[in-house]
Amino acid sequence: MSEAANTHGIRLLDSTLRDGSHGIRHRYTPQQVELIAGKLDQAGVHSIGVGHGDGLGASSIQYMRSLHTDDELLTAARRVIKRARLAVTFQPGIGTKQQLERAAGLGADLVRIATHCTEADIAIQHIGLSRELGMDVHGDLMMPHMTTPETIARQGRIMVDAGATGVHIMDSAGALTMDDVKARIVAMLAEFGGEAEAGIHAHQNLSLAVANTVAAVEEGATLADACLAGAGAGAGNCPIEPLVAVLDRIGRPTGIDLWELQDLADFVVRPIFDRPPTVDRLTLTQGFAGVPGSFLLHAVRAGERFGVDPRDILVEVGRRKSVGGQEDLIIEVAAQLAGEQHSKEA
């Protein structure tokens, strides 16, 4: 059993400075990163994710360019993080070996290797390399609503055998219910419990992020992600302030200073966001349709460009079972819907 798997306390990774960046078009400055990461560290958060929302190497036309490079943001975070682990996210096919090496050189302690929920085998070499570079590694299985608990468990086993010390279900679309979460965590722990930990990354589209995270914890998960003020794309991520409060209320305290989190969320993070994370007609549709949260801004822009309802775009993209990385499909769908709309009007 790994050292991590012997730890029974709940450990939280704050992803405000990584997944939260989707909500501000990846425009965090090094000064903001230094301020937020430093205060998260002081509050006792266990790990802090930093970088482009889609991971190392994702700053591009397709995924939106960052205002500042991952190197700049990681350097700023590393200056102030004294106790927590500095975490990065990596998606095979987006990031490269050289970027993993660079992140390790800049002081990253933990790398989250993320794949679609049925494609864990493409992460094997990246998990191995990350371990060789001295970083701890967790696997992320994205869009877990698209397959069965049994398949999730088998895919998690691939990551654990490759060297991952934890595996998370990453509910990219915010489409899981509490029963969905329980079934997947139970299956994962039946497959590799005792060898690695299970975790959850919940989104808020169905207003279930805190409830889903608590459900995961009650079934044995010891790792969870959350963001200050629920920062993130669309409806946002699991908000860390109420999550910490609820975990304390049910007798699973995290040791994180709740007052510090509340002040940081209200006085620092919320003012940065032009559009606060919200469950509205669009973001709810994402969870209902099972579409990744990062698709929202793309769907809104495509809707304006082609004169179609972005909800119709999201539903059609979900029907086609699109996954993260297929944002370019949104333009195709919007154009097709516009053509159909014009044909009906003619």
Side-chain angles (χ1 to χ4, degrees):
M1 186 185 295
S2 70
E3 180 180 348
N6 275 299
T7 303
H8 298 294
I10 308 303
R11 298 193 310 289
L12 303 186
L13 182 150
D14 185 281
S15 194
T16 306
L17 298 172
R18 199 278 301 170
D19 206 8
S21 72
H22 283 294
I24 58 168
R25 302 177 298 283
H26 314 290
R27 299 184 70 80
Y28 279 121
T29 67
Q31 293 76 22
Q32 290 170 330
V33 167
E34 190 167 325
L35 173 61
I36 294 169
K39 289 189 176 295
L40 284 170
D41 188 60
Q42 292 170 18
V45 171
H46 310 103
S47 299
I48 301 169
V50 175
H52 189 284
D54 288 302
L56 296 175
S59 179
S60 62
I61 292 174
Q62 183 176 14
Y63 298 104
M64 293 191 186
R65 292 197 183 279
S66 299
L67 181 62
H68 293 274
T69 66
D70 286 334
D71 282 15
E72 292 175 281
L73 303 182
L74 290 171
T75 299
R78 187 71 275 174
R79 277 197 297 267
V80 295
I81 293 175
K82 307 301 180 186
R83 297 182 297 178
R85 296 199 294 179
L86 174 58
V88 295
T89 288
F90 181 92
Q91 293 191 57
I94 296 178
T96 66
K97 168 185 174 182
Q98 289 73 26
Q99 286 158 340
L100 275 175
E101 293 170 341
R102 181 68 177 164
L106 290 171
D109 306 296
L110 169 66
V111 57
R112 300 277 292 269
I113 309 290
T115 76
H116 184 60
C117 59
T118 57
E119 298 176 357
D121 57 332
I122 69 172
I124 292 173
Q125 62 180 317
H126 306 99
I127 292 172
L129 173 62
S130 299
R131 292 298 300 267
E132 290 173 10
L133 292 169
M135 294 184 287
D136 192 10
V137 187
H138 292 173
D140 289 338
L141 294 171
M142 300 185 291
M143 305 289 282
H145 69 283
M146 296 182 71
T147 191
T148 65
E150 294 74 23
T151 298
I152 290 290
R154 289 194 294 271
Q155 294 294 306
R157 164 55 68 187
I158 293 171
M159 290 179 158
V160 171
D161 286 348
T165 61
V167 179
H168 303 245
I169 48 172
M170 180 169 277
D171 188 14
S172 321
L176 294 179
T177 66
M178 289 178 284
D179 285 344
D180 295 332
V181 168
K182 290 178 180 180
R184 283 155 179 76
I185 295 297
V186 167
M188 289 163 66
L189 290 175
E191 177 64 43
F192 55 75
E195 300 174 61
E197 295 177 275
I200 182 170
H201 176 111
H203 282 192
Q204 182 69 343
N205 300 75
L206 298 177
S207 294
L208 292 175
V210 171
N212 280 346
T213 303
V214 171
V217 168
E218 289 178 336
E219 295 299 336
T222 48
L223 302 168
D225 295 352
C227 290
L228 290 160
N237 287 277
C238 179
I240 194 169
E241 313 93 86
L243 176 62
V244 166
V246 171
L247 288 173
D248 189 76
R249 287 290 300 274
I250 67 172
R252 305 298 297 273
T254 61
I256 300 171
D257 189 324
L258 178 58
W259 276 203
E260 289 283 348
L261 294 180
Q262 290 175 332
D263 290 347
L264 185 52
D266 282 358
F267 302 129
V268 178
V269 173
R270 283 191 170 93
I272 294 174
F273 280 71
D274 297 329
R275 179 189 183 280
T278 267
V279 179
D280 59 18
R281 65 192 184 94
L282 293 176
T283 58
L284 174 58
T285 301
Q286 283 185 291
F288 174 73
V291 174
S294 59
F295 280 24
L296 178 64
L297 292 177
H298 298 279
V300 170
R301 289 173 179 172
E304 293 171 350
R305 176 179 171 185
F306 291 93
V308 298
D309 191 328
R311 290 174 295 181
D312 293 332
I313 298 173
L314 293 170
V315 168
E316 176 59 21
V317 167
R319 189 189 68 78
R320 297 188 187 189
K321 299 189 182 300
S322 63
V323 300
Q326 294 180 320
E327 284 83 351
D328 52 345
L329 178 63
I330 292 171
I331 298 296
E332 176 186 329
V333 166
Q336 179 182 331
L337 291 174
E340 293 172 357
Q341 182 173 296
H342 293 151
S343 296
K344 291 178 182 178
E345 293 172 353

